[in-house]
Amino acid sequence: RTRTRTRTLTLTLALTLTRCAGRAAAYLRSCWGRYPAEDAAAAKQAAVDEANAKFLGETRRIFGPDACTRLQSEKWSERNFAVGYVHENLAGICGGAGAGGATNYSMEDVFNLVVELVSRCTDDKVAPLFFSGVGLFGELLDAHSSAVDAIQVRDSLCTLVPKLIAKLGNSNTRIQ
């Protein structure tokens, strides 16, 4: 009988502790939000989402909604068409004749946007899109780098050159 009572007390105590631990975890979550690992992942995803929204907003403002829509496409040919569109209209954009109808932007805005677009192209696995992005960046540097600050050009090179070098080691033979 004593053993039964001890077992019952032990089980009751174990259940109580389990419930308390569950309540404690719920209480801690309500006080502090999520666990630190979840907070870091959520913060990183929020930063990526914010940067993506900013990029797409600037693309829509400077190059128009069609280019913005095509850059978000799942099809690489649509994304490549959008990069080609930006490449073709870069001279007009930089001259102030906004292809998307907007004229309230600076050359720095256009330069930063095109550098971000090239960065996204170098991250893409599709070779034609990669080469279109490299061609766009070459055009941007050749024709329009004198319109922006040298520090901005250096920063863009510091961002893109490591990505281009990393692509040289890519096992995808079409890009090598």
Side-chain angles (χ1 to χ4, degrees):
R1 193 166 197 196
T2 306
R3 265 192 197 166
T4 307
R5 215 180 242 174
T6 306
R7 284 186 187 163
T8 306
L9 287 174
T10 305
L11 288 174
T12 305
L13 182 62
L15 288 173
T16 305
L17 289 176
T18 304
R19 286 186 199 137
C20 289
R23 287 187 196 137
Y27 175 74
L28 290 175
R29 271 194 223 116
S30 69
C31 291
W32 294 317
R34 293 180 288 267
Y35 294 113
E38 292 173 344
D39 285 342
K44 186 176 181 179
Q45 184 60 40
V48 167
D49 291 344
E50 183 179 336
N52 196 30
K54 181 181 176 190
F55 170 74
L56 293 174
E58 287 292 305
T59 303
R60 183 177 306 278
R61 181 173 72 92
I62 295 174
F63 292 107
D66 187 47
C68 181
T69 303
R70 288 177 186 255
L71 284 173
Q72 298 176 68
S73 176
E74 292 290 322
K75 297 180 179 179
W76 70 266
S77 59
E78 291 289 320
R79 295 191 310 271
N80 196 29
F81 182 83
V83 172
Y85 175 81
V86 169
H87 195 146
E88 289 173 9
N89 292 293
L90 190 59
I93 294 288
C94 294
T103 57
N104 57 346
Y105 48 80
S106 66
M107 185 57 202
E108 287 81 18
D109 292 340
V110 175
F111 189 86
N112 289 333
L113 180 67
V114 173
V115 167
E116 176 66 23
L117 177 60
V118 171
S119 176
R120 289 171 183 238
C121 287
T122 58
D123 290 339
D124 206 301
K125 291 176 13 178
V126 179
L129 194 57
F130 172 80
F131 291 128
S132 293
V134 171
L136 177 61
F137 189 61
E139 171 69 23
L140 183 71
L141 288 178
D142 287 344
H144 307 291
S145 63
S146 61
V148 295
D149 189 25
I151 294 172
Q152 198 169 6
V153 174
R154 185 198 65 203
D155 290 345
S156 69
L157 288 172
C158 289
T159 301
L160 292 173
V161 169
K163 287 184 174 190
L164 294 174
I165 291 172
K167 267 305 197 204
L168 291 175
N170 192 341
S171 63
N172 185 352
T173 57
R174 293 177 296 168
I175 293 179
Q176 293 176 351

